[in-house]
Amino acid sequence: MPDPDIPEIKRASLADDLLEALETPVLILDGNGALLRLNRAGEALTGYTLDEVTGRPIWEFLIADDEIETVRRQFLGCRAGNGPVNNTHFWIARDGRKRLMRCRHTAHRTDAGETGYVLVIATDITDQRVTEEKLTKSRSFLQSIIDASPVAVITINQEGIILSFSRQAEVTFGGKAEDVIGRNINILMPEPDRSRHDGYLGRYLETGEARIIGQARSLNAMRLNGEIFPAVLHVSEFQNGENIFVGFIEDVTDQRAAERQLSETQAQLHHTGRLGAMGEMATTIAHELNQPLTAASSLMGAAQLTLEKNTDERSARAIDLLEDSVSEIRRASDIIRQMRDFVRKRKTAPSLYDINQVVTEASTIALIGAEAEGISVTKNLQPDLPISMIDRIQIQQVVTNLIRNAIDAMTASAERHLTIATGYRDGMIEITVEDTGPGIDGAILPKLFEPFLTTKETGMGIGLSISKSIVDAHQGKLSAINKNTRGCIFTVSLPAGTRNGLSSQ
Amino acid sequence: MDYPVSKPIYLVDDDPAVQRGVAALLVAAEYAVTVFDSGDALLACMDELDFQQAIVLADVCMPGIQGLELQARLVAERPGARVIVMTAHGDVPMAVRAMRGGAVDFLEKPFSAREVTTALDRAFAIVPAASPAPVTVSPVCAANYGRLTPREREVLGEMIEGNTSKLIARNLGLSPRTVEVHRQKIMQKMQARSFAELVRMAVDLDLSR
Ligand SMILES: Nc1ncnc2c1ncn2[C@@H]1O[C@H](COP(=O)(O)OP(=O)(O)O)[C@@H](O)[C@H]1O
Ligand SMILES: [Mg+2]
C-alpha cells in the first residue's frame, strides 16, 4: 500500500462526503455542459438519479426551452480563471415542477490547464421570489388603491415632512408630488394652523395625547396657489421605525356649496310659504271681517234712515253720530284692505306651464323630510299632458298644501304611502294626492274647505280654503273623497290650456 | 213717496249678518226686499221673479255659484236684468270685471246708507231693455276724458287695474309723488267724486282692457 496514496484517497472521499452531505444542490459539469456529478440534494430536487443523467448536457433535460439559449451562452462564457458567474433560471424537475434557482458557476482547470469541470452550486429561491413578488404586488396594489382614492392621501413623518403625496392629493392641492415631497406639510394649511402644526406634532409625540388622530375633522386647507378650501381630514398613525402619519383629506367645497344652497332654498321656501300663507290668511281675514263690518254699517244706515223720519234736533244729532260711526267702520275696512294688499303684493301672473314640472317642483319641496318620517312616495306623472294656463306659484302652493296635509295625516299610521299623480280627463288636467292616513273626519267633511277649520293642535285651518280659492280662480275644481280602504284622495282639476280666471279674458 | 212695491230688491248674500243688516237698511230706505242665501237659490225660483221691476243686489264672493257667474247667467237668460254687485272694499279688478260683465253698478262693502240709495236710484232710473243695453257714454264724460294728457290717461289705465300709486310709479317709471299729483288732476278733470265713480266712467268709456 503506497503510503502517500492514503491522503489522496482520504481527500477524494472527504470531498465526496462533503458533497453528499450538503443540503444545497451541486452539479459538476464538464466543459461542454455534460453532467459529471449530481449530489444527493441535487437528486432530491430534480427527481433525477445521477445514473440516469450522467453524461447528458444539462440543457437537454433540466432547463426550460425558452431559457436554454441564455443558460448555454452564459455557461460557455464561464471560463476558468474568470471568477464565478451567477445567474438565475428555472430548473424543470423530472415531474415537471419548476423551481427558480440561483446558480453560481465556477470553472476549474485541469492539471493540463484547460477547463476541466464547472462546479454549479444552486440555491432554490422559488419561495423567496414568490414572497418578494407578493410584496411588490401588494405594495403596488396599495398604491393603486391610494391613487384611485377620491380622497387625497398624504403621509408625513414625525417632523411633518411630506413622504408621499397621492394622485388625488396632486389634484386637490394643485401640485406635483415631486414638488412637495420633502417639504413641511404646513404649506398645505392656512394660518393659524400653518405656524402651529409643528407644535401640534411635537406635543403629540411628547404627551401621546391625540387631538385629531382617529377622528374626522372639518377644517380649512390651502391649495398650493394659496386658495383656502373647506376639507374633512382623517389622520391615522403607524410605526415604521418612527411615527408615520397618514392623512386622508377630502375637498368638500362642492358639498358645502350644495348644502348651503339647499338650506338657502329651504329658508327661502319657508319664507315664501309663510308669506304666501300670511297673504292668503290676510285675504281670508279681510273677507271674514268685512262681512260683520258691512252688517254693522248697514244697520247704522238703517237706523239713520229711520231717524230721518223725525225732525227733532236729537234725531238729527243721532244721525250725525251714526254717520261718523259708518265712516269709522269704513276706516277699519280700509286698514284691513291695506294690510291685505301689503302682505299680498304678488300679482297673479298666469302663464302656460307643464303641470308635471310644476308638480315635480312643488313635491320636491313639500317632500323634504318625508323619507325621514318613513313615508314612501310614488309618482305617476302622465307624460305629454297638455300645458295649462296657471299661476305657477299658486298651483305649487296648492300641491304643497295637499302633500303636507297628507304627510300630517299619516303620522300615526302604520302604512305610510303617498301617491302623487297627474292625468287628463274630459278636457281637464288632474292632479291627485293620495295618502294612507285615517281619511277625513266625517264631522268636518261637509265644511272641509271653509277657513279656520282644523283638527290639528297647531293647524291654522286655512290651507284647504286657500287652495280652494286658488283652484276656483283658475276655473278648476278641488275635491276630496275618502277611500273605501284607509286614507283619502284630493283631486285638483284644472282646465287645460285656458287662462286663469283672474286674468283679463 | 211710498212706492214699496215699485222698488223691489233681490238681495243675494250668504252671510246672515249681512243679510239682516242690508235688508234693514233697504227696508228703512223703503225698498221691498227679498233675501236669497245664494245665487243658486235665486236661480231656482227665477220664473217667479220679475227682473223688469227688481234690482238684484248680489255679493261677488259666495260659496256655490259666485256673484259674477250669477250675474252672467241672469244677464243671459233675463236680458235687461239689472244687477249691482257687492265687492270687497278696494277690490277694483273685481269691480271692473263685474261692470264689464254687464253689472249696472257695484258697491264696495261696507257701504253707507247714502251710497246704497244713490246706487239703487241710479239703477232704477235705467229702463230695463229687452236686449242688453248698448253702453251709452255721456258726452260730458267723453269730453272730460278728451282733456286728459297722454300721461294722465296712462295713469288712469293703471288706476283701474287696481294698482297702488307705488306700483303705478314703478310701472311708468315715475315718482310716487308725481303719480299722486296725476291722480288728483284726473279726478278733477273727470269730475269724479269718488274712485268708484271713476271706475264706472272708465268702464263706460271702455278703457279697462
Ligand atoms: N289628507 C288628509 N287626511 C285627513 N284629513 C285631512 C287631510 N287633509 C286635510 N285634512 C283635514 O282638513 C283639515 C283642514 O286642513 P287645512 O285647511 O290644510 O288646515 P290645517 O292643515 O292647518 O289643519 C285638517 O285639519 C284635517 O282635519
Ligand atoms: Mg294644511
Side-chain angles (χ1 to χ4, degrees), chain A residues 287-288 290-295 297-306 309 323 326 329-330 333-334 337 340-341 347 472 475 501-505, chain B residues 13-15 17-18 20-22 24-25 28-30 59 61 66 87-91 97 100 108-115 117 161 163-164 167:
Chain A
H287 177 74
E288 297 289 310
N290 219 29
Q291 295 292 78
L293 291 181
T294 302
S297 68
S298 299
L299 289 168
M300 287 172 192
Q304 272 180 306
L305 294 176
T306 310
K309 290 178 182 131
E323 185 71 47
V326 170
I329 286 177
R330 176 62 67 86
S333 167
D334 267 339
R337 177 175 59 98
R340 182 198 67 193
D341 290 350
K347 269 194 93 177
D472 283 347
Q475 269 129 32
L502 288 179
S503 70
S504 57
Q505 287 140 26
Chain B
D13 199 301
D14 62 304
D15 189 310
V18 173
R20 178 165 172 261
V22 178
L25 173 58
E30 296 175 343
D59 191 23
C61 181
Q66 305 253 317
T87 65
H89 183 42
D91 192 349
R97 285 180 62 204
R100 226 194 284 145
E108 294 177 291
K109 279 180 169 180
F111 33 70
S112 68
R114 202 177 327 105
E115 283 168 327
T117 51
E161 289 285 308
N163 292 341
T164 60
L167 188 60

Side-chain angles (χ1 to χ4, degrees), chain A residues 162-197:
Chain A
I162 298 172
L163 303 176
S164 78
F165 201 69
S166 77
R167 205 159 296 162
Q168 183 56 46
E170 294 183 328
V171 175
T172 303
F173 289 93
K176 288 251 150 270
E178 62 246 41
D179 297 333
V180 293
I181 288 175
R183 297 176 67 185
N184 194 308
I185 187 76
N186 67 16
I187 58 169
L188 305 177
M189 306 168 187
E191 291 296 353
D193 290 339
R194 174 179 279 227
S195 7
R196 293 183 189 161
H197 191 257

